[in-house]
C-alpha cells in the first residue's frame, strides 16, 4: 500500500519496503494540481522554490516531450516539464508529454516510480547523487505515481464458514493504494487478492502487510447472506469484518468512538448500498475538487456543511463519520446511477467470486425472482424471433426483482431475463486474457445454415467494413463439420459469430451435432451463438474457457434472427459491450 506524508524537509513516499524522499523545505500544499499524463495519479500538489530528488534513475523531459540532458546543468524555459524517477534499475514509466502518452516498462514488485510535473522557467543541476531544481519564484509542483493494476500472486485460502468469509472480506482491501478520497478512482485500487477454498484459513503475510488499518470494524451476524451484502461497503472502507451473535449489523469506528447501526435483512442490503453510494460520491467530489472549473464540487460540499480541505486530509473513518451525518434527502438527488448490481446466492463457494465483483465495485443483493409469464415472453422484442426447429433446447426463465444499478448480473441459480448470467469460470477465464496484447482482433464468422446466407453475408460485410478502419482479421466459414467447428472454438480467436441451428444435442453441423461439452479447451474469447435455444451450449463455452457471449433462450424465426444478428454485429464492432448491445432495440443500430 502506498503511503505518503509531509516531513520537515519535504515529502516522503513509501511502498512496501521502498521509500523515496523529496527534499523541499518550503513546501506549501495547494488544491491546484497539474494535469498528469494518463496512467499517472496525483499524490500531492504544492508550491516550492527549490526541490532535490535522488538521481539514480531519472529522466527529464521538456514541455514538447523531448528528453533533456542535465549532466552539466540546464535551464528550462516556460512550459510544463516532467521528471520521472524510480528506485530500481529501470524506469517504470517514461513520460513523453502532457497529452497523456506514456511508455510502460516492467519493474520489480517493490519498485516505486514517481512523476513530478512543474512549470518553468527552472534551473536543473546535479548535486552529487541527487538532482536539484530551483525556480526564480515560488512555483506550483505536482507529485504523482504511475499505476499498474496487479493481482497479488498468492491467494487467500478460507473455509466455507462465516468466519472464513469474514476473513476474506477483511483482507480484500489489500489492493487499495490509499485510504484517502483518491480510492474512489479505480487507478488507486489494485485488483483484490484472489480467494480459494480449503480446510484451513491462510492469509499470506504479503497480503496482511498490505491490508489497510482503518480502525473500522464491521460486526455482522454469522450468515452468508449478511456477509455478502456487506462486502462492497466493507471492501471500500477497508473495514475489518467479524462475525458474532448480534441483533443487527454494526459498523464501529473505534478511534472516533461511534457506532452505525443497520437494520436486518432485507432492509440491510439497501442501507449498505445507500451508504456506499454516498461515501463513494463524496470521495469523488473531494478527489476532483481541485480540478473542477467552475468549482461545482466545492459548492456542493459546502452546501452539506463540509470543508473540502479538512475532509480531504481526514481518515476514511472520519470521512465516513462526516458523511453519515448528511441527511439522505440532501445527497441522494445528486447521486449518479450506480454502474453495476449483482444478485448473489448465499452459497459459501461464491466467496471465490467476491474479488472480481468488488474489483468492479458492484453492489451485492440477494436474488429474488418470479416465474416468467409466457405471454410476457411474446411481448419482448428479442423473444418473438422464433426459428424453425422443434427440438430446440429451451430453458425456463425467471423475472428477477431488480434493485439500484445500471447493469445487472446474476450469480445465482436459474436463468433470468434482463440481466446477464454470471459464472465463476468467466472471471477466472478473463484473467488469462487480462495481460495479453495483440496487434489485431480476430473474428470468425460461421454459417452452418444455408437458409441464413443473407444474414451471413450481411454480418461478414459489417465486420469487413470495420476492418478497413481497425486492425481486424475476419475469417468466414461455411458448412463446417463437427471437427472443423470444434477447431474454430479451440483455436485462439477473439470472437466467433455462429449462425445456424442448435438443438438438444448441440450445434448442428452437416455430419451431425457438436456438443461443446465434448470438445477440448476453448480459446475463443467471446462468442455470439445466433441459433435456436443456444443457452446451454453458451454456458459450456464459458466453462471450457470463454469469457463472455450472447445466446438465445428458445426457438427463433429466421428473419428476426437475421435482423438481431446483424444489429448485434454492428453494435459490437463499433464499441458496444455485450450487455449494452443486447439491451438495445433491434432498430438501434
Amino acid at each position: 500500500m502506498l503511503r505518503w506524508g509531509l516531513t520537515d524537509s519535504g515529502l516522503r513516499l513509501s511502498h512496501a519496503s521502498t521509500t523515496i524522499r523529496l527534499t523541499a523545505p518550503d513546501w506549501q500544499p495547494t488544491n491546484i494540481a497539474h494535469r498528469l499524463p494518463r496512467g499517472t495519479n496525483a499524490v500531492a500538489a504544492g508550491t516550492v522554490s527549490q526541490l532535490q530528488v535522488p538521481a539514480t534513475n531519472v529522466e527529464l523531459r521538456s514541455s514538447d516531450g523531448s528528453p533533456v540532458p542535465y549532466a552539466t546543468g540546464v535551464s528550462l524555459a516556460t512550459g510544463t516539464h516532467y521528471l520521472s524517477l524510480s528506485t530500481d534499475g529501470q524506469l517504470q514509466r517514461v513520460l513523453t508529454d502532457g497529452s497523456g502518452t506514456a511508455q510502460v516498462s516492467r519493474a520489480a514488485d517493490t519498485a516505486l516510480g514517481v512523476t513530478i510535473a512543474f512549470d518553468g522557467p527552472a534551473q536543473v543541476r546535479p548535486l552529487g547523487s541527487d538532482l536539484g531544481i530551483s525556480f526564480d519564484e515560488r512555483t506550483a509542483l505536482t507529485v504523482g505515481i504511475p499505476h499498474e493494476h496487479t493481482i497479488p500472486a498468492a491467494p487467500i485460502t478460507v473455509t466455507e464458514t462465516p468466519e472464513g468469509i469474514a476473513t476474506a472480506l477483511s483482507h480484500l482491501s489489500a489492493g487499495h493504494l490509499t485510504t484517502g478520497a483518491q480510492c474512489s478512482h479505480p487507478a488507486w485500487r489494485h485488483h483484490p487478492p484472489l480467494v480459494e477454498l480449503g480446510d484451513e484459513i491462510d492469509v499470506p503475510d504479503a497480503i496482511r502487510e498490505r491490508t489497510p488499518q482503518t480502525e473500522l470494524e464491521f460486526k455482522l451476524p454469522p450468515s452468508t447472506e449478511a456477509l455478502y451484502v456487506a462486502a462492497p461497503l466493507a471492501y471500500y472502507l477497508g473495514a475489518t469484518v467479524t462475525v458474532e451473535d448480534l441483533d443487527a449489523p454494526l459498523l464501529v469506528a473505534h478511534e472516533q468512538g461511534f457506532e452505525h447501526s443497520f437494520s436486518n435483512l432485507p432492509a440491510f442490503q439497501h442501507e449498505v448500498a445507500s451508504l456506499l453510494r454516498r461515501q463513494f460520491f463524496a470521495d469523488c467530489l473531494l478527489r476532483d475538487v481541485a480540478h473542477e472549473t467552475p468549482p461545482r464540487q466545492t459548492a456542493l460540499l459546502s452546501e452539506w456543511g463540509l470543508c473540502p480541505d479538512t475532509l480531504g486530509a481526514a481518515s476514511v473513518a472520519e470521512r465516513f463519520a462526516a458523511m453519515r451525518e448528511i441527511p439522505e434527502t440532501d445527497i441522494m438527488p445528486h447521486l449518479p446511477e450506480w454502474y453495476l448490481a449483482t444478485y448473489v446466492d448465499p452459497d459459501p463457494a461464491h466467496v471465490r467470486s467476491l474479488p472480481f465483483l468488488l474489483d468492479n465495485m458492484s453492489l451485492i443483493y440477494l436474488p429474488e425472482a418470479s416465474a416468467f409469464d409466457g405471454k410476457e415472453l411474446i411481448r419482448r422484442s428479442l423473444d418473438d424471433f422464433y426459428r424453425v426447429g422443434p427440438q430446440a433446447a429451451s430453458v425456463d426463465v425467471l423475472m428477477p426483482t431488480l434493485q439500484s444499478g445500471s447493469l445487472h448480473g446474476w450469480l445465482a441459480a436459474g436463468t433470468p431475463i434482463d440481466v446477464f448470467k454470471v459464472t465463476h469460470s468467466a472471471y477466472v477465464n478473463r484473467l488469462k486474457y487480462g495481460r495479453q496484447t495483440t496487434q489485431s482482433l480476430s473474428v470468425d464468422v460461421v454459417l452452418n445454415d444455408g437458409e441464413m446466407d443473407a444474414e451471413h453475408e450481411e454480418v461478414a460485410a459489417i465486420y469487413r467494413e470495420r476492418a478497413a478502419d481497425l486492425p481486424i482479421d475476419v475469417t468466414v466459414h461455411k458448412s463446417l463439420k463437427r471437427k472443423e467447428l470444434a477447431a474454430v472454438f479451440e483455436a485462439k480467436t477473439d470472437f466467433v459469430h455462429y449462425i445456424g441451428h442448435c438443438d438438444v444435442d448441440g450445434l448442428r453441423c452437416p455430419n451431425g451435432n457438436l456438443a461443446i461439452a465434448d470438445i477440448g479447451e476453448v480459446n475463443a474469447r467471446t462468442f455470439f451463438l445466433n441459433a435456436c435455444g443456444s443457452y446451454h451450449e453458451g454456458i459450456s463455452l464459458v466453462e471450457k474457457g470463454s469469457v463472455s457471449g450472447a445466446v438465445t433462450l428458445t426457438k427463433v424465426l429466421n428473419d428476426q434472427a437475421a435482423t438481431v444478428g446483424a444489429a448485434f454485429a454492428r453494435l459490437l464492432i463499433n464499441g458496444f459491450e455485450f450487455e449494452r448491445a443486447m439491451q438495445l432495440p433491434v432498430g438501434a443500430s
Side-chain angles (χ1 to χ4, degrees):
M1 177 178 183
L2 177 74
R3 295 179 176 86
W4 73 275
L6 299 178
T7 67
D8 293 338
S9 59
L11 286 84
R12 181 185 67 255
L13 297 96
S14 301
H15 176 62
S17 60
T18 304
T19 298
I20 288 182
R21 297 181 184 276
L22 309 180
T23 303
D26 60 349
W27 172 277
Q28 292 184 0
T30 67
N31 282 329
I32 301 176
H34 292 82
R35 184 175 295 277
L36 295 171
R38 185 174 57 189
T40 308
N41 308 287
V43 171
T47 60
V48 298
S49 60
Q50 59 181 329
L51 175 73
Q52 189 169 330
V53 300
T56 306
N57 303 293
V58 172
E59 182 155 343
L60 177 66
R61 291 187 176 265
S62 63
S63 55
D64 63 2
S66 59
V68 177
Y70 57 85
T72 59
V74 63
S75 295
L76 301 176
T78 56
T80 302
H81 307 275
Y82 300 96
L83 186 72
S84 57
L85 56 144
S86 173
T87 55
D88 72 331
Q90 54 184 341
L91 287 173
Q92 285 184 303
R93 291 186 183 270
V94 179
L95 305 179
T96 55
D97 55 34
S99 65
T101 305
Q103 297 176 349
V104 183
S105 63
R106 306 298 295 175
D109 290 340
T110 58
L112 178 59
V114 175
T115 300
I116 302 173
F118 59 91
D119 295 326
Q123 293 74 46
V124 180
R125 66 186 187 281
L127 296 174
S129 60
D130 291 348
L131 188 68
I133 306 174
S134 58
F135 305 95
D136 296 339
E137 57 186 18
R138 180 174 287 278
T139 299
L141 182 147
T142 303
V143 180
I145 61 167
H147 168 66
E148 291 186 11
H149 201 62
T150 60
I151 304 176
I156 300 170
T157 302
V158 300
T159 55
E160 294 186 62
T161 63
E163 291 76 13
I165 297 172
T167 299
L169 292 181
S170 297
H171 293 283
L172 291 181
S173 57
H176 290 0
L177 296 180
T178 179
T179 57
Q182 295 93 336
C183 193
S184 58
H185 194 291
W188 286 84
R189 301 188 308 271
H190 281 180
H191 197 289
L194 301 184
V195 177
E196 294 181 352
L197 297 174
D199 297 330
E200 296 181 351
I201 295 175
D202 179 30
V203 182
D205 290 341
I207 292 177
R208 289 187 183 276
E209 292 172 0
R210 296 181 185 181
T211 301
Q213 303 300 314
T214 63
E215 303 303 325
L216 286 168
E217 182 182 5
F218 215 153
K219 298 182 178 183
L220 299 169
S223 74
T224 307
E225 291 92 338
L227 287 160
Y228 284 174
V229 166
L233 183 60
Y235 163 73
Y236 184 70
L237 296 178
T240 299
V241 178
T242 58
V243 292
E244 56 185 273
D245 291 330
L246 297 168
D247 293 333
L250 195 65
L251 183 59
V252 180
H254 293 288
E255 285 192 352
Q256 281 66 43
F258 75 82
E259 297 180 346
H260 184 91
S261 299
F262 294 86
S263 303
N264 286 308
L265 289 168
F268 178 48
Q269 57 189 347
H270 303 292
E271 294 172 2
V272 165
S274 175
L275 278 174
L276 176 59
R277 294 178 64 196
R278 294 166 62 184
Q279 185 72 40
F280 190 89
F281 181 62
D283 282 350
C284 288
L285 297 183
L286 289 169
R287 186 191 78 227
D288 291 337
V289 68
H291 310 286
E292 182 72 11
T293 304
R296 175 179 176 272
Q297 284 98 328
T298 302
L300 195 55
L301 290 168
S302 299
E303 180 182 322
W304 298 334
L306 302 176
C307 173
D309 290 335
T310 301
L311 206 58
S315 68
V316 61
E318 291 169 335
R319 297 198 312 276
F320 179 80
M323 285 305 303
R324 66 193 285 268
E325 297 300 326
I326 301 174
E328 190 171 8
T329 53
D330 290 350
I331 190 172
M332 292 303 287
H334 299 282
L335 298 185
E337 186 176 24
W338 197 261
Y339 167 67
L340 176 63
T342 307
Y343 305 85
V344 181
D345 262 341
D347 182 344
H350 285 159
V351 68
R352 300 174 304 157
S353 298
L354 288 184
F356 304 99
L357 298 180
L358 300 181
D359 185 51
N360 291 326
M361 287 299 297
S362 175
L363 299 175
I364 294 179
Y365 295 97
L366 299 178
E368 295 181 61
S370 57
F372 197 71
D373 184 358
K375 294 180 180 179
E376 175 67 15
L377 183 65
I378 298 175
R379 293 192 290 267
R380 297 273 173 164
S381 61
L382 287 181
D383 296 314
D384 66 353
F385 77 103
Y386 285 88
R387 180 179 292 172
V388 177
Q391 295 183 355
S394 61
V395 296
D396 294 327
V397 295
L398 303 173
M399 176 70 76
T401 301
L402 301 183
Q403 307 297 341
S404 176
S406 177
L407 296 178
H408 303 270
W410 189 263
L411 183 57
T415 306
I417 201 163
D418 290 337
V419 307
F420 61 89
K421 179 75 172 182
V422 178
T423 71
H424 182 68
S425 296
Y427 291 127
V428 174
N429 296 340
R430 189 176 66 182
L431 291 180
K432 72 179 181 181
Y433 293 102
R435 298 180 184 277
Q436 295 183 11
T437 57
T438 58
Q439 296 300 315
S440 63
L441 294 175
S442 54
V443 175
D444 287 89
V445 183
V446 179
L447 174 64
N448 265 21
D449 178 8
E451 296 180 358
M452 296 298 296
D453 191 65
E455 176 190 350
H456 178 264
E457 294 301 326
E458 183 177 3
V459 166
I462 290 170
Y463 293 127
R464 284 170 172 159
E465 177 185 358
R466 194 67 174 132
D469 302 318
L470 297 173
I472 303 174
D473 296 326
V474 182
T475 303
V476 176
H477 312 268
K478 286 188 176 184
S479 301
L480 294 184
K481 296 181 180 179
R482 295 174 67 249
K483 287 187 177 180
E484 294 170 331
L485 182 57
V488 170
F489 287 112
E490 291 172 337
K492 290 184 178 181
T493 184
D494 292 300
F495 181 58
V496 175
H497 189 136
Y498 173 87
I499 303 166
H501 286 288
C502 180
D503 53 43
V504 293
D505 294 323
L507 302 177
R508 194 178 300 173
C509 300
N511 63 338
N513 287 68
L514 173 66
I516 300 300
D518 295 336
I519 70 176
E521 181 183 11
V522 170
N523 289 294
R525 183 173 183 174
T526 58
F527 58 87
F528 179 30
L529 302 183
N530 198 5
C532 308
S534 56
Y535 173 82
H536 294 295
E537 298 305 314
I539 290 292
S540 292
L541 282 172
V542 172
E543 294 300 322
K544 290 279 187 172
S546 292
V547 175
S548 62
V551 297
T552 63
L553 296 178
T554 184
K555 294 183 290 184
V556 292
L557 287 171
N558 283 355
D559 289 344
Q560 285 84 355
T563 302
V564 170
F568 181 84
R570 191 173 299 279
L571 290 169
L572 190 69
I573 204 66
N574 281 282
F576 283 76
E577 60 186 12
F578 268 77
E579 181 70 5
R580 292 297 190 193
M582 293 299 292
Q583 284 182 344
L584 290 176
V586 169
S589 62

